[in-house]
Amino acid sequence: MTPSAGAVAAGESVAADGARARSVLTRCRGLVRPALAEAVGTLHPWIGGMAGYALGWSDAAGTPAPDASEGKGLRGALAVLGAETMGAPGESAVPAAVAVELVHTFSLLHDDLMDGDTTRRGRAAAWRAFGTGPAVLAGDALHALAVRTLAEAGGPAASAAVRRLCATLTTLVSGQADDLLLEHRPWTGPEAVPPEEYRSVAERKTGVLLGCALALGAELAGAPDESVTALDRAGRHLGIAFQTVDDLLGIWGDPALTGKPVGGDLRRGKKTRPVLAALADGGPESRDLAALLGRSAPMDDRTAARAAALAEAAGGLATAREEAHRHLEAARAQLRAARLHPVPARDLEALIGFLFHRSR
């Protein structure tokens, strides 16, 4: 069947946004990476080596690894765009960009340990490469370095920026704590996880740091409080959408692209949006999925694939995509309220579209 003109135009728009988003990420990474490397270089050499591995700069022996993934650099890019959309140069947000990238990296180091994930971005997780204790220590060092980097930024907004980052860290830990606790909740019944509780955890675990990144960039740029607040709210909605898309990729994504094994969340009993939505459907596939998830036996690859198929048949994939789209639209509404400068606003819009369509 020949695609409609509308479908072709939409596809071309998505492709154009993707190209622009990748260009924005590359530009922002080029701006932030030297300062990030300088900050990491102040750490104890052993810890700095582990940090370089976690950031995708080197292998476990400390040798440069040009083929390793450094990640998207999303949070750093959001900080830079937070300043640029307020009419300031991106350079003014570099301390904020470095701080949020360090926080993100430390959270991944600790998350992999807590979740028992053995791979990250297509290679051994840091705790597998260096050991549990060293990985915890490296995460702690990056946490401290993030706060120090922002505190040393100088300028009239530095103290407020540090307070914002510290509040974000507290909220991030709260979200991660509840995320771990949800794994022990039943899949069905009165103690099952409702959608609003999932959204609360997603906002605190993921959205708060994206909101912080945008807000810190604007704050260091001297933006008015109402604009900073609108950017923070936009980032929180963006984070819920981002987490929902991650949930989709964790079940239906290509391991070659995600760098993590498919079905890991299902095996661990993680309460993700598509599975929760599928279980709420109540139809035959939903009931079969509940029975499968309720088994005490460990889930192997075949069982995980069956659970994924049932979750899709029960509407979990479609519902999660729709929810991600709603929160992206809510983020866009907040950005319109922030009165952004047009050219960096288009860069930010391209990045937002790219984040949604990576789930397809």
Side-chain angles (χ1 to χ4, degrees):
M1 180 166 36
T2 304
S4 68
V8 171
E12 290 174 348
S13 176
V14 169
D17 274 355
R20 184 166 189 158
R22 286 187 287 272
S23 175
V24 169
L25 289 170
T26 299
R27 175 178 67 83
C28 292
R29 187 183 298 112
L31 186 63
V32 174
R33 195 187 191 285
L36 184 58
E38 183 179 355
V40 171
T42 66
L43 296 171
H44 183 286
W46 182 47
I47 295 173
M50 288 187 282
Y53 179 86
L55 286 159
W57 299 345
S58 60
D59 62 19
T63 305
D67 295 331
S69 171
E70 296 187 22
K72 293 176 287 297
L74 169 64
R75 289 146 191 85
L78 290 177
V80 171
L81 291 172
E84 291 178 346
T85 55
M86 294 292 110
E91 288 81 359
S92 65
V94 166
V98 170
V100 295
E101 284 297 324
L102 290 170
V103 167
H104 178 56
T105 305
F106 113 72
S107 72
L108 295 182
L109 281 166
H110 288 184
D111 281 0
D112 285 343
L113 263 170
M114 287 182 278
D115 294 343
D117 286 337
T118 58
T119 60
R120 167 70 62 181
R121 295 173 183 160
R123 59 180 184 168
W127 70 273
R128 294 287 289 177
F130 299 100
T132 298
V136 171
L137 186 62
D140 291 345
L142 294 179
H143 179 181
L145 183 59
V147 177
R148 191 185 87 191
T149 298
L150 202 53
E152 293 177 350
S159 60
V162 170
R163 288 195 297 272
R164 181 180 296 276
L165 182 65
C166 290
T168 296
L169 287 164
T170 301
T171 304
L172 186 68
V173 170
S174 167
Q176 179 64 16
D178 279 340
D179 189 50
L180 290 173
L181 289 171
L182 293 188
E183 293 183 17
H184 304 288
R185 298 266 292 275
W187 288 106
T188 58
E191 294 300 315
V193 180
E196 59 271 17
E197 191 169 358
Y198 168 90
R199 285 190 287 270
S200 172
V201 171
E203 179 180 344
R204 287 178 288 133
K205 182 185 172 186
T206 304
V208 67
L209 187 56
L210 301 189
C212 179
L214 279 168
L216 282 177
E219 201 159 42
L220 291 186
D225 290 346
E226 57 270 24
S227 295
V228 174
T229 299
L231 285 171
D232 178 67
R233 289 173 178 165
R236 287 170 181 255
H237 282 293
L238 182 58
I240 297 173
F242 188 86
Q243 183 60 58
T244 304
V245 170
D246 264 6
D247 288 351
L248 291 167
L249 293 174
I251 298 175
W252 294 285
D254 181 353
L257 299 177
T258 64
K260 299 186 75 174
V262 169
D265 288 349
L266 286 167
R267 290 184 179 89
R268 208 166 51 246
K270 200 170 186 65
K271 305 303 188 290
T272 59
R273 187 66 186 106
V275 175
L276 293 172
L279 291 171
D281 174 72
E285 293 89 354
S286 177
R287 292 192 295 272
D288 288 348
L289 177 62
L292 199 61
L293 294 171
R295 295 184 349 178
S296 58
M299 190 175 287
D300 57 19
D301 289 347
R302 182 177 178 181
T303 308
R306 172 65 176 155
L310 289 169
E312 181 173 3
L317 188 152
T319 298
R321 274 188 178 161
E322 289 167 6
E323 177 142 338
H325 182 73
R326 284 197 300 274
H327 282 283
L328 288 178
E329 289 305 309
R332 289 179 171 121
Q334 290 294 334
L335 293 175
R336 287 193 292 272
R339 301 172 181 263
L340 309 181
H341 282 238
V343 174
R346 286 197 291 273
D347 286 344
L348 186 54
E349 172 59 32
L351 197 55
I352 287 173
F354 171 72
L355 292 175
F356 177 67
H357 289 290
R358 73 195 176 102
S359 68
R360 296 185 184 275

